[in-house]
Amino acid sequence: MKTITVLLLILSFTTVRGQWTRHTIDDNLDEAADIKVADIDGDNDIDCVAIGAGANNVAWYEAPEWTKHIIDDSVNYINNMLLAYINEDSLIDVVVSGFLSGEVIWYESPSWTKHYIDTDNKEVHNIFATDFDNDNDTDILASVFSYDRVVIYESPTWNKITIDHTLEGAAGVFAKDLDNDGDVDIAACSTWDNEVVWYEAPSWAKHIIDQDLHGADNVIILDLDSDGDQDILSNGYYSDDIVWYESPLWTKHYIDDSIVGVWKIVTCDINGDNQEDVIVTRYWADQIIWYMAPDWTKYVIDDNLVGARGVTVFDINSDDNPEIFATGGTSDVVVWYEQTTTGFLSEHITENYLLQTYPNPFTTSTTIEYHVKDHSKVSLRIYDLFGKEIKTLLNSYQTPGIKTVIWDGTDNSGSAVSHGLYYGMIKTDKRFITKKIIKD
């Protein structure tokens, strides 16, 4: 039996605002629209993928030199993109939507063979990937702006299931279990009806959350207040609001009520205080803004990213200071931001939780040893590159002492996981930390 060892140490710290240095990946991607990061070529470096709406381009940039590789240059005004494991080869594939062409396409890595999921839409606004029917295939969720539809494409045949055909100006979509019943639900926005709604699986009963968010656009499901319930984050493009709705009553809270031109919203714990912050791009103001939880203090990371559009956040070097990747739609640039002054100061190190495995990478199984100093609830989970939970190894109250648990390289359903990069996370009520784990 082989084992894997990674050392995770929980820190107590005082948060400070980090400083950001901007680095250019590409300065010639016409109407650079969206961006995602992942280890595309399996060399354990984090690469990035970006799309250029004006050039109809899908491109990936190979770390560490950011060598540019064109995947496709023929999708009419490509506007959204995601990364997912579409087939069973454990390689990361690319899925895109063409706003003018109405196409949904996936590119099979590593040859980037082009496969059409759908060619009969108009103005696909947003796409999202998850397994809706628990068959271990990755399905695609999409919103079709002009047709007012929310649809699911069921892999592998891409059978189209219409969830709603009356959501006027269907915009943002997101999928997650909202009501803790084990089914994957859907949250969506209506730009013209000013609505935020959710659809309850498996019947897809429609529930109204808000009907007064003017130009409702982005939507994200997450536990924003760390109370165990899934909340919803959204924005009103025409009302200049960023809001979140607190489950289960969907109480509306304002993060900002005077923010014009928000294009994209993502979340990440930027400063290491174990609370999800909010990061947005502002197209007309050329800005990337960070709202620091829980009081939503606003920091401008960049005010000169002309036509700021796509944004994603990832800790590419595992130094606990996440990097920001973004695109400038009218400046045609792909950039990333490095925290050159650390996002937190380590003042007191408390060895409450020590996680060890050995070696790294591993091939078969993992024996994990961890140290609990104080009586507390501890969870230990494995996540994939996209933040999807793969395996819950531990979720219980622990007495002080040294403990061990074995991960046999399977997911929660008992199936063996693919080769690639994973993250181990140990978490308590007050803090958490993650580190890379690689399966060969």
Side-chain angles (χ1 to χ4, degrees):
M1 177 181 293
K2 295 187 178 180
T3 58
I4 171 173
T5 292
V6 177
L7 181 65
L8 304 186
L9 186 62
I10 299 295
L11 305 178
S12 297
F13 48 78
T14 301
T15 59
V16 297
R17 177 186 168 195
Q19 303 297 316
W20 301 86
T21 298
R22 175 169 152 177
H23 304 275
T24 299
I25 295 173
D26 190 354
D27 60 3
N28 189 32
L29 185 65
D30 190 17
E31 286 191 60
D34 202 4
I35 186 167
K36 298 290 186 292
V37 296
D39 181 9
I40 297 297
D41 52 2
D43 64 354
N44 299 322
D45 288 328
I46 300 300
D47 312 298
C48 78
V49 183
I51 55 176
N56 305 323
N57 271 355
V58 186
W60 77 277
Y61 301 87
E62 184 178 354
E65 301 299 327
W66 305 119
T67 304
K68 186 175 182 177
H69 305 273
I70 299 297
I71 295 174
D72 194 358
D73 59 2
S74 62
V75 184
N76 192 6
Y77 204 80
I78 185 171
N79 68 317
N80 265 291
M81 176 260 301
L82 59 84
L83 308 179
Y85 296 105
I86 298 297
N87 51 11
E88 298 178 355
D89 63 1
S90 74
L91 298 175
I92 295 173
D93 305 303
V94 178
V95 184
V96 304
S97 61
F99 191 73
L100 296 183
S101 69
E103 297 169 332
V104 182
I105 301 165
W106 77 277
Y107 300 94
E108 184 178 356
S109 178
S111 64
W112 304 121
T113 303
K114 187 174 183 176
H115 305 273
Y116 287 92
I117 295 173
D118 197 353
T119 59
D120 187 26
N121 282 312
K122 187 177 181 182
E123 298 181 351
V124 178
H125 190 285
N126 198 220
I127 51 178
F128 189 90
T130 192
D131 181 6
F132 280 100
D133 48 5
N134 294 313
D135 63 353
N136 295 317
D137 289 328
T138 300
D139 308 307
I140 302 297
L141 171 67
S143 59
V144 186
F145 190 84
S146 291
Y147 290 164
D148 307 327
R149 291 177 184 167
V150 177
V151 300
I152 293 172
Y153 300 99
E154 187 176 357
S155 179
T157 62
W158 305 120
N159 175 48
K160 181 159 57 173
I161 302 168
T162 299
I163 304 301
D164 192 352
H165 58 84
T166 63
L167 192 70
E168 292 196 21
V173 288
F174 202 97
K176 200 172 185 180
D177 183 4
L178 260 174
D179 51 4
N180 295 315
D181 65 354
D183 294 322
V184 179
D185 307 301
I186 297 170
C189 290
S190 164
T191 297
W192 302 136
D193 282 340
N194 308 317
E195 289 181 341
V196 180
V197 304
W198 75 280
Y199 304 93
E200 183 178 357
S203 66
W204 304 120
K206 184 175 180 178
H207 304 277
I208 303 296
I209 295 172
D210 192 358
Q211 292 180 302
D212 192 32
L213 187 64
H214 294 274
D217 192 10
N218 292 276
V219 65
I220 298 173
I221 303 173
L222 76 166
D223 182 6
L224 201 53
D225 53 2
S226 301
D227 66 350
D229 293 327
Q230 296 299 320
D231 310 302
I232 290 181
L233 174 68
S234 189
N235 75 290
Y237 189 83
Y238 300 120
S239 59
D240 307 331
D241 297 328
I242 301 173
V243 301
W244 71 279
Y245 302 93
E246 183 179 357
S247 179
L249 300 179
W250 304 122
T251 305
K252 188 174 183 177
H253 303 276
Y254 286 84
I255 294 174
D256 196 336
D257 61 1
S258 59
I259 183 77
V260 177
V262 170
W263 192 277
K264 192 79 171 182
I265 300 179
V266 296
T267 64
C268 180
D269 179 12
I270 291 290
N271 58 334
D273 65 354
N274 305 310
Q275 298 184 84
E276 287 291 299
D277 305 306
V278 174
I279 302 93
V280 306
T281 52
R282 299 182 66 196
Y283 184 82
W284 302 111
D286 308 326
Q287 289 181 333
I288 299 177
I289 293 177
W290 161 31
Y291 294 93
M292 185 171 65
D295 57 358
W296 308 120
T297 304
K298 182 194 292 189
Y299 297 113
V300 176
I301 292 174
D302 192 350
D303 60 2
N304 193 35
L305 182 62
V306 181
R309 287 185 62 169
V311 63
T312 193
V313 185
F314 198 91
D315 183 6
I316 61 174
N317 52 12
S318 296
D319 64 354
D320 299 318
N321 287 297
E323 286 74 38
I324 295 175
F325 290 74
T327 61
T330 52
S331 51
D332 305 331
V333 298
V334 180
V335 299
W336 70 281
Y337 300 86
E338 178 184 10
Q339 292 196 58
T340 50
T341 299
T342 185
F344 61 85
L345 299 177
S346 299
E347 293 189 342
H348 306 287
I349 298 179
T350 57
E351 296 181 2
N352 276 15
Y353 305 92
L354 188 64
L355 183 65
Q356 296 188 70
T357 57
Y358 184 83
N360 188 16
F362 80 105
T363 56
T364 56
S365 66
T366 301
T367 300
I368 303 174
E369 180 181 287
Y370 60 98
H371 174 225
V372 179
K373 184 176 180 181
D374 302 314
H375 186 278
S376 60
K377 187 173 184 179
V378 181
S379 68
L380 178 58
R381 292 182 170 92
I382 307 297
Y383 294 85
D384 69 11
L385 188 61
F386 307 106
K388 179 182 177 181
E389 180 186 317
I390 298 300
K391 186 82 168 184
T392 297
L393 298 174
L394 172 70
N395 187 26
S396 63
Y397 283 93
Q398 299 279 289
T399 57
I402 295 176
K403 319 287 183 179
T404 60
V405 65
I406 294 176
W407 180 35
D408 61 2
T410 65
D411 60 18
N412 283 325
S413 70
S415 301
V417 301
S418 304
H419 303 297
L421 179 63
Y422 295 88
Y423 286 83
M425 176 187 288
I426 190 166
K427 184 176 182 181
T428 72
D429 294 333
K430 296 182 179 179
R431 54 181 65 90
F432 70 87
I433 198 166
T434 61
K435 288 294 181 182
K436 292 179 182 178
I437 299 174
I438 299 169
K439 183 182 180 185
D440 275 347

